[in-house]
Amino acid sequence: MAQDQTTANQDWSKIETKAQGQTVYWNAWGGSELINEYIAWVGKRVSEDNKITLKHVKVTDTADVVSRVLAEKTADKKTEGSVDLVWINGENFASMKKNGLLFGPFTENLPNYRFVDVENKATTTTDFTIPVDGLEAPWGMAKFNFIYDSARVDKTPNSTAELLTWTKNNSGRFTYPSPPDYLGSTFLKQVLVESVKDPKVLRQEVTEETEFKKTTSALWSYLDQLHPTLWRDGKQFPVSSSAQQQLLDDGEVDIHLSFNPGAASSLIKSGELAPSVRTFVFDKGTIGNTHFIAIPYNSSSKEAAMVVANFLMSPEAQARKQDPQYWGDDTVLSIAKLSPEDQKIFADIELGVATLSPQDLGPTLLEPHPNWMERIEKEWLRRYGQ
C-alpha cells in the first residue's frame, strides 16, 4: 500500500523547496467551465507562491486514469508516471488502493490538514466505506440534490417513489445521465438505498450473485417502471451531466441532477441556467460523500503534488471554492478551527438565491461499498445500454 515514505515524511520546508520548478499533471474531470476556471486559478496561485506548473488534464471518466496508472505498474514504470495528481473517490480510490497505485500515506504531513473537520465529517476519512489511511486528501463535500425550473414545476417530489409518480404525470420531463456518468450512477444509488429494507447491507462487499440479485431486484423493478416515462421514452439517455444540464436549459426536461448544493446558484450567476431555477432534496436524505485528490505511486513530481494538495485545503482555496461565484462546493474544513479572519471570509460568502441552507439539505445517506456500484453499472448497461 505505502509507497516511498521518505518523500511523504520529509520536513515541509524541504518539500516546498523540492517542489519549485516541478510540473504537476492533474487529471481532473473537465465537464464544467466553472470548475475548469477554478483549477486554472489554483494553477496561477501555486505558480506565484511555489513556482509550480500545474497542467489540468481534462478527464471524462476517472476510471480511464486508474486503468492508465495500472498499465504503467504492469509495465514496471516506477518513475515518470503520466499522472501526478488525480481527482478521485469511491470505486476509483478503492481500485487504486487495492492495486498499490497510490503514494503515501501523505495527508497528515500537509500543514493545512489540521483544519479538516475529521471529527464531524466522517466521509473525510472513510471513502465509500473504504478507510482513507492518509492516501488521499479531502478537498470538497458533495450532497446529491435536484435542480428544477420553478417556472415549470410547482410541487417537487419528496422521495424516489414520489419522483416515479411525478414522471408518470409529467411524461418526458425527467431523465438521468447514462452510467457510468457519476450523477447517473448516483441516481441509481439513491434508488437502491431507498429501496432496500436495511441499507447497512450495502456497506459490505457483495460476493454472492444470489445476494446481489435479491438486494437489487427492487431497483430494476423501479427502473422498468420509470424508463417509459422519461425523456425520449427512456430509449436514450444524456451522455453526461453537462448534457442533461443543457436539456434543462433548453426546456426539454424540468429536473436536473447535481452533487453540488451550490451548483444552481452558480449556473444562474454564470448565465448557464434560467433565474427561475431552484434546488430540492428529499426529506429522508440524499447520498453524500467527500471528494479527494491522490498522488499515484510513480509520479516524479510528488513534492509539488503535495504542495498543490496542501493549497487546495487552505482556507483561501476552500473559501473561494465554497463561493457560488467560483464553484459553490461545501468546505471540508472545520470553521471553528480557523482564525477569526478566515472565519469571517466564510461567513461573508453569499450562498446564492437557489442554494439551500445546510439545515435544509436534509440527512446524508451513506454511499454503498464501491463493489455494489461496479456490478450495478455493468447490469444497467446489460439491461438498458444502447
Side-chain angles (χ1 to χ4, degrees), residues 188-250:
L188 300 185
K189 291 176 198 174
Q190 182 71 34
V191 177
L192 178 68
V193 170
E194 287 191 41
S195 66
V196 296
K197 287 178 182 172
D198 182 9
K200 284 180 184 170
V201 71
L202 302 173
R203 291 174 212 161
Q204 305 298 322
E205 192 168 354
V206 57
T207 53
E208 298 295 327
E209 186 63 25
T210 50
E211 183 194 359
F212 177 76
K213 283 183 176 177
K214 182 184 173 186
T215 307
T216 59
S217 61
L219 167 66
W220 308 121
S221 173
Y222 179 93
L223 296 179
D224 287 344
Q225 293 176 72
L226 179 73
H227 285 184
T229 71
L230 298 182
W231 173 76
R232 297 198 174 167
D233 303 320
K235 293 186 171 71
Q236 186 181 344
F237 293 85
V239 294
S240 65
S241 52
S242 50
Q244 176 148 348
Q245 179 187 305
Q246 192 60 51
L247 291 178
L248 178 65
D249 191 45
D250 291 344

Side-chain angles (χ1 to χ4, degrees), residues 145-153 156 166 172-177 183 231-232 238-258 260 263-268 271-280 354:
N145 64 89
F146 299 84
I147 297 174
Y148 73 104
D149 194 328
S150 63
R152 302 197 294 264
V153 178
T156 56
W166 186 91
R173 306 303 298 169
F174 177 68
T175 188
Y176 62 94
L183 281 173
W231 173 76
R232 297 198 174 167
V239 294
S240 65
S241 52
S242 50
Q244 176 148 348
Q245 179 187 305
Q246 192 60 51
L247 291 178
L248 178 65
D249 191 45
D250 291 344
E252 288 199 49
V253 298
D254 297 330
I255 299 175
H256 175 38
L257 311 176
S258 174
N260 173 2
S265 295
S266 297
L267 293 165
I268 290 170
E272 292 174 75
L273 287 179
S276 53
V277 157
R278 294 294 182 269
T279 304
F280 75 91

Side-chain angles (χ1 to χ4, degrees), residues 130 251 337 346 372:
I130 308 294
K337 292 181 181 180
F346 279 93
W372 282 95

Side-chain angles (χ1 to χ4, degrees), residues 356-378:
L356 296 173
S357 66
Q359 55 268 36
D360 290 332
L361 275 173
T364 296
L365 304 180
L366 294 178
E367 292 273 2
H369 189 283
N371 163 265
W372 282 95
M373 285 321 296
E374 288 167 12
R375 296 181 76 142
I376 284 170
E377 285 169 359
K378 282 178 187 169

Side-chain angles (χ1 to χ4, degrees), residues 95-356:
S95 177
M96 291 193 83
K97 186 181 182 187
K98 182 181 174 183
N99 288 291
L101 304 180
L102 296 169
F103 162 72
F106 71 94
T107 56
E108 291 190 17
N109 197 31
L110 305 179
N112 289 324
Y113 187 74
R114 70 187 187 276
F115 299 128
V116 175
D117 193 0
V118 294
E119 297 83 6
N120 299 302
K121 296 177 179 178
T123 56
T124 58
T125 54
T126 304
D127 185 355
F128 289 47
T129 77
I130 308 294
V132 169
D133 292 333
L135 296 172
E136 54 180 358
W139 74 300
M141 305 294 293
K143 186 86 165 26
F144 190 51
N145 64 89
F146 299 84
I147 297 174
Y148 73 104
D149 194 328
S150 63
R152 302 197 294 264
V153 178
D154 293 327
K155 188 174 185 302
T156 56
N158 205 18
S159 64
T160 53
E162 284 190 19
L163 178 63
L164 179 58
T165 303
W166 186 91
T167 63
K168 287 176 178 175
N169 294 329
N170 298 272
S171 189
R173 306 303 298 169
F174 177 68
T175 188
Y176 62 94
S178 173
D181 175 90
Y182 74 103
L183 281 173
S185 294
T186 302
F187 176 69
L188 300 185
K189 291 176 198 174
Q190 182 71 34
V191 177
L192 178 68
V193 170
E194 287 191 41
S195 66
V196 296
K197 287 178 182 172
D198 182 9
K200 284 180 184 170
V201 71
L202 302 173
R203 291 174 212 161
Q204 305 298 322
E205 192 168 354
V206 57
T207 53
E208 298 295 327
E209 186 63 25
T210 50
E211 183 194 359
F212 177 76
K213 283 183 176 177
K214 182 184 173 186
T215 307
T216 59
S217 61
L219 167 66
W220 308 121
S221 173
Y222 179 93
L223 296 179
D224 287 344
Q225 293 176 72
L226 179 73
H227 285 184
T229 71
L230 298 182
W231 173 76
R232 297 198 174 167
D233 303 320
K235 293 186 171 71
Q236 186 181 344
F237 293 85
V239 294
S240 65
S241 52
S242 50
Q244 176 148 348
Q245 179 187 305
Q246 192 60 51
L247 291 178
L248 178 65
D249 191 45
D250 291 344
E252 288 199 49
V253 298
D254 297 330
I255 299 175
H256 175 38
L257 311 176
S258 174
F259 227 143
N260 173 2
S265 295
S266 297
L267 293 165
I268 290 170
K269 195 164 265 188
S270 66
E272 292 174 75
L273 287 179
S276 53
V277 157
R278 294 294 182 269
T279 304
F280 75 91
V281 290
F282 297 153
D283 277 355
K284 289 186 177 176
T286 53
I287 297 280
N289 64 42
T290 298
H291 47 109
F292 300 82
I293 37 174
I295 304 169
Y297 78 100
N298 62 350
S299 163
S300 288
S301 299
K302 293 186 180 83
E303 290 87 0
M306 289 172 72
V307 169
V308 173
N310 186 59
F311 177 73
L312 290 169
M313 292 189 296
S314 68
E316 177 192 355
Q318 287 283 300
R320 187 180 181 95
K321 195 165 181 273
Q322 188 156 319
D323 191 329
Q325 185 180 344
Y326 303 111
W327 186 332
D329 200 41
D330 195 23
T331 184
V332 297
L333 305 184
S334 165
I335 304 303
K337 292 181 181 180
L338 306 181
S339 68
E341 294 79 16
D342 286 333
Q343 288 186 27
K344 187 175 187 307
I345 293 170
F346 279 93
D348 290 346
I349 295 170
E350 288 185 25
L351 293 179
V353 67
T355 305
L356 296 173

